[in-house]
Amino acid sequence: MFKLDDPKNSFKNVLHAFFLGLAITVVEPSTVLPLMVHHFVDSAIIVGIFASLLRGGAIVIQLYASFHAQGYKRVIPYLRRVFFFRFLSWFFIGLSIFIFGDKHPYITISLIGIGLFFFSFTAGFGAIYFKELQAKLFSKSYRGKTMANRNIASSVASIISGGVTGYVLSNFSAPLNYAYLFMVSSLLMAVGFIAFGTINEPKKENISLKEKSFKEFLKNASLTLKSSKKLQLQIFAVFLSYAYLLSMPFVILHANKTLELTGWMLGGFITIEMIGSILGSSLLWKRISNYEFMLTLSFGLSAVAFIVALFADNLYSYLLIFLLFGVSVDGFNIAGMNLIIELAPEDKRPIYVALQTNLSSIGLFFPILGGFLLTILGSYQLIYTITIILLLLGVYISRKL
């Protein structure tokens, strides 16, 4: 029998985050991923493209996923399929690096890109199903707590993973160290997928009648967007919350030029970012149920991080930057998810989620723009300044929600 706010479901929700955090941290987009890509190809633009691939592939499929999901009474069977393909994609990346490595760098980087795309692409389905489950399983107040606990668990896992990553990067030569990290972490990821896949999901009775075609669905989705000014403004605010990605992947490259990073320093940056995530979730986000204010505060903290980056020239300043990244990014994630769940009518929830995610997630391609700007302008300070301006605009827009 289903029970709202069931502690067992919450535990599985948190366990999923823990093992996913263990796995994903090995290619953290603000630290490891840029250096891994840079190992095979010396191009800021390619670094930006790959940072976008890790998350951006999800955009193209979410409206289609929503078209089908609006008629599902249960989504967990479909989510299990998503988990299986995400596992295969992640393992495929490590296997590709192991087989081709430095012998065929262009083949290797191409296969990494394919793996990252499919990992992200399948997440497009998963994001719709995941938010649907969060709305069905937990009440508003309990959801905020379980999501904060998810973030804490993920951050604790990432601290552990950061230490392991630092050890592997320092004690094994590139690119085999990256291959080992991917293949082992895919097995850890599978544990979290299995745990979440056994969640007790209630049957949804209030569902929308599925349109006859995807074209008709897109037309109705467009009408839904036009009819809600609040949804439009919220989508723009969440879009701006991705502005930090314009510069974030390149901070580590700047630090590498300034500090000559070691594997242990890299692991330390990952760890401090996750400590920031824990502090944010336990001291801030867990206590805030006003998600509009949470979004505003996240914009402000992220802007402060890049203000520090403008003048960073030592280890301690970079530690502060990554600490602030950890706090603010979690705030963006929690606020964005809860804002759309609270705004959406139950029967239209998949459509609202897909509209916000699809349109705002165009911001996931900010790293590509950042790579072009860095290549053309040749100045980290300039792209940091542009990022700060966009984040301050986000502060203003979020206050109007």
Side-chain angles (χ1 to χ4, degrees):
M1 181 178 292
F2 172 74
K3 176 184 175 183
L4 185 67
D5 297 339
D6 188 342
K8 291 181 181 178
N9 281 340
S10 181
F11 175 73
K12 292 175 182 178
N13 193 30
V14 172
L15 199 64
H16 168 247
F18 178 81
F19 283 100
L20 191 60
L22 278 177
I24 295 294
T25 303
V26 305
V27 66
E28 217 285 321
S30 63
T31 49
V32 180
L33 179 62
L35 293 178
M36 181 183 73
V37 174
H38 201 259
H39 174 85
F40 294 106
V41 56
D42 184 12
S43 169
I45 295 174
I46 299 299
V47 169
I49 290 173
F50 273 65
S52 294
L53 273 178
L54 183 59
R55 297 188 180 104
I59 296 174
V60 297
I61 200 63
Q62 287 202 18
L63 277 173
Y64 184 72
S66 176
F67 166 58
H68 290 285
Q70 62 180 327
Y72 294 158
K73 292 186 176 181
R74 287 192 174 95
V75 297
I76 199 72
Y78 304 97
L79 188 59
R80 289 171 186 152
R81 299 174 193 174
V82 169
F83 286 160
F84 177 70
F85 283 107
R86 295 199 88 196
F87 163 76
L88 287 182
S89 300
W90 202 253
F91 185 82
F92 170 80
I93 295 171
L95 187 63
S96 299
I97 297 173
F98 182 80
I99 294 174
F100 296 102
D102 285 335
K103 293 179 293 185
H104 306 283
Y106 292 109
I107 294 177
T108 304
I109 200 69
S110 298
L111 293 176
I112 292 172
I114 291 171
L116 287 175
F117 174 78
F118 279 104
F119 182 78
S120 179
F121 182 84
T122 51
F125 285 96
I128 300 296
Y129 306 149
F130 178 79
K131 290 184 176 71
E132 179 69 13
L133 279 171
Q134 297 300 316
K136 291 169 74 175
L137 299 176
F138 309 115
S139 62
K140 177 180 178 179
S141 58
Y142 195 89
R143 191 189 316 120
K145 293 177 182 178
T146 191
M147 287 307 297
N149 287 335
R150 270 184 65 91
N151 286 342
I152 291 171
S154 178
S155 299
V156 170
S158 297
I159 289 173
I160 298 170
S161 185
V164 173
T165 298
Y167 173 81
V168 173
L169 293 179
S170 296
N171 289 275
F172 296 92
S173 60
L176 283 180
N177 49 13
Y178 299 120
Y180 298 148
L181 287 172
F182 270 99
M183 288 190 286
V184 173
S185 65
S186 66
L187 301 177
L188 296 172
M189 184 185 295
V191 176
F193 287 162
I194 291 170
F196 198 86
T198 61
I199 271 181
N200 180 25
E201 179 193 8
K203 183 183 291 186
K204 181 180 177 180
E205 301 299 340
N206 187 17
I207 60 175
S208 292
L209 183 64
K210 183 179 174 182
E211 290 87 348
K212 294 180 180 179
S213 68
F214 184 53
K215 182 178 179 181
E216 184 181 346
F217 167 79
L218 290 177
K219 181 179 178 181
N220 290 339
S222 177
L223 293 174
T224 299
L225 179 62
K226 290 178 181 178
S227 68
S228 176
K229 296 296 182 182
K230 185 171 182 179
L231 177 60
Q232 294 171 24
L233 188 63
Q234 186 168 295
I235 288 172
F236 184 50
V238 177
F239 165 74
L240 288 173
S241 74
Y242 292 111
Y244 71 92
L245 290 172
L246 183 74
S247 298
M248 189 180 184
F250 310 107
V251 171
I252 195 68
L253 299 183
H254 194 194
N256 196 33
K257 289 185 176 181
T258 306
L259 305 176
E260 297 183 2
L261 296 179
T262 65
W264 283 115
M265 290 171 69
L266 184 61
F269 287 147
I270 295 173
T271 298
I272 201 69
E273 185 175 346
M274 295 310 117
I275 289 175
S277 177
I278 292 173
L279 291 175
S281 291
S282 58
L283 299 180
L284 279 176
W285 312 138
K286 202 171 184 178
R287 303 169 186 270
I288 298 174
S289 57
N290 183 332
Y291 299 114
E292 291 85 356
F293 176 68
M294 184 185 293
L295 188 61
T296 301
L297 190 55
S298 300
F299 275 120
L301 291 171
S302 189
V304 171
F306 287 105
I307 291 171
V308 175
L310 283 172
F311 308 100
D313 60 358
N314 58 67
L315 177 62
Y316 298 105
S317 55
Y318 279 103
L319 288 173
L320 177 58
I321 291 167
F322 284 100
L323 182 74
L324 291 170
F325 280 165
V327 178
S328 60
V329 171
D330 269 6
F332 285 137
N333 292 336
I334 296 174
M337 187 194 77
N338 281 285
L339 282 170
I340 194 60
I341 287 175
E342 294 306 313
L343 179 63
E346 182 183 6
D347 61 326
K348 295 292 184 182
R349 193 159 50 221
I351 299 175
Y352 271 63
V353 169
L355 282 170
Q356 175 171 298
T357 305
N358 263 71
L359 297 177
S360 66
S361 293
I362 295 171
L364 290 172
F365 295 104
F366 269 124
I368 300 176
L369 176 60
F372 275 105
L373 290 174
L374 184 58
T375 301
I376 295 169
L377 302 174
S379 170
Y380 290 98
Q381 282 73 20
L382 279 175
I383 63 169
Y384 294 163
T385 301
I386 295 170
T387 303
I388 292 167
I389 292 171
L390 290 173
L391 290 169
L392 292 178
L393 176 60
V395 170
Y396 172 74
I397 296 298
S398 64
R399 296 308 299 155
K400 296 174 70 68
L401 290 177

